[in-house]
Amino acid sequence: MNNEYHWWGLEESTFKGVLYDSINMYFLHDHPYKNWDEFAEADPHMAYAHLTSIRFDALEQQFVDLRVIPQMLGVESLPLKSTVQDINRHDWLKSIVDLTLFRFSSLRDIAFHFVNEVLELELPDHKLNIKQLSKLLKENHSDILENLKTLDRTGIPLRLDRNERAHKGFCDLYTEDDQLFKSMSWAEAHKSQINGYDLISVYEKSRDKICSIVIKEVEEAMQACIELVDELYVHYRDRHDELSINSKSGVSHHFHNYHREK
């Protein structure tokens, strides 16, 4: 497998720059507000920036959290030592797949929350789906909607695998016979002799297949996310500016220097 460390994140997005520049040197401890309402009334643009930052950070963190998957697949010494009981090859791969599916399946929903926050759509959680978003975005935010639809399509193999695993209990480890692989992995962990079965080769082929799928799907999703958040750049910039009018602190000079409308 490829031993590269994948620096997945949203660093290449323009939106990350405008978000950080809008928050810049604003520290809440410099403004002793008693509660959120007082803060939002005095500096509504900073309240908007703060809420957006929470959603953006959650979105980016999903990609950061996925970086560990290739690291786990690259573990060299198996069975994995544990003070409880060593983890065999089958259980290790299966746990990696479970973690991957869990982390990847959240990306789309977190992106929905991000769009909901930036555009101030105020959709409740149970209505945050592509159908409801389509109704609200198709007229005035068609480009954003198209990027959401692209993100909705990315990672379909992983999402389908997740549904099979979560709802039906099926987990494909790409070993041709996962039950036999499970038995041989158990035997290795218990130092039993294995004849006529190349456990190491089967494991490595499975590991490499899983790794290639994860890398491909995550990188496609990351590109879709970058395009999505960057479609919201102008809206966020202008809304932050608009909310700053008559606020207590106003927009930082740094923000205007880099993000003034041209």
Side-chain angles (χ1 to χ4, degrees), residues 16-207:
K16 188 167 184 175
V18 73
L19 178 62
Y20 283 11
D21 285 341
S22 63
I23 294 174
N24 201 22
M25 299 300 290
Y26 188 96
F27 299 107
L28 274 174
H29 60 70
D30 293 333
H31 309 270
Y33 299 118
K34 296 178 181 178
N35 52 47
W36 175 268
D37 290 339
E38 187 178 332
F39 167 47
E41 182 178 354
D43 283 325
H45 63 307
M46 296 311 302
Y48 177 61
H50 179 75
L51 292 174
T52 299
S53 178
I54 290 172
R55 297 299 186 184
F56 183 89
D57 288 348
L59 184 59
E60 182 167 50
Q61 189 61 45
Q62 288 301 106
F63 290 105
V64 174
D65 288 346
L66 281 162
R67 295 176 186 175
V68 76
I69 302 302
Q71 287 180 274
M72 294 172 72
L73 289 167
V75 165
E76 294 181 342
S77 182
L78 286 166
L80 199 63
K81 291 296 180 182
S82 168
T83 57
V84 179
Q85 179 170 294
D86 293 353
I87 303 170
N88 66 48
R89 294 176 190 273
H90 172 270
D91 290 347
W92 181 239
L93 278 185
K94 195 171 183 181
S95 297
I96 292 172
V97 169
D98 281 348
L99 180 61
T100 303
L101 299 181
F102 171 77
R103 290 186 172 175
F104 194 91
S105 66
S106 301
L107 276 173
R108 179 184 52 173
D109 294 337
I110 294 173
F112 290 168
H113 278 285
F114 173 75
V115 171
N116 192 37
E117 197 71 65
V118 176
L119 295 181
E120 301 171 293
L121 302 176
E122 299 184 352
L123 276 174
D125 287 358
H126 69 279
K127 288 189 176 181
L128 267 179
N129 54 60
I130 198 66
K131 182 178 180 180
Q132 292 295 328
L133 287 166
S134 295
K135 293 178 182 178
L136 295 175
L137 302 178
K138 63 182 179 181
E139 185 173 343
N140 296 320
H141 300 288
S142 58
D143 290 340
I144 293 170
L145 177 58
E146 285 307 309
N147 277 291
L148 275 179
K149 288 180 178 178
T150 298
L151 182 59
D152 192 47
R153 291 190 296 268
T154 59
I156 286 178
L158 287 178
R159 290 211 303 274
L160 291 176
D161 286 348
R162 184 264 178 195
N163 292 337
E164 287 288 298
R165 180 77 179 111
H167 304 306
K168 300 180 183 179
F170 300 141
C171 184
D172 186 0
L173 297 182
Y174 306 99
T175 65
E176 296 185 0
D177 187 335
D178 288 350
Q179 192 61 42
L180 180 59
F181 175 67
K182 178 181 180 180
S183 298
M184 294 300 104
S185 296
W186 184 92
E188 179 193 37
H190 288 79
K191 297 181 171 48
S192 299
Q193 186 173 354
I194 299 174
N195 296 315
Y197 186 85
D198 191 345
L199 177 64
I200 305 301
S201 177
V202 171
Y203 169 80
E204 290 178 348
K205 288 179 181 177
S206 169
R207 176 202 64 191

Side-chain angles (χ1 to χ4, degrees), residues 204-245:
E204 290 178 348
K205 288 179 181 177
S206 169
R207 176 202 64 191
D208 294 352
K209 178 67 174 178
I210 292 169
C211 191
S212 66
I213 292 173
V214 170
I215 291 171
K216 177 179 179 295
E217 297 300 329
V218 172
E219 290 185 347
E220 286 182 2
M222 186 175 69
Q223 186 57 44
C225 274
I226 290 173
E227 292 176 8
L228 170 66
V229 300
D230 283 353
E231 282 292 341
L232 287 158
Y233 169 86
V234 171
H235 178 90
Y236 175 84
R237 178 199 66 191
D238 294 348
R239 183 60 175 151
H240 181 74
D241 219 3
E242 177 188 355
L243 289 170
S244 72
I245 298 173

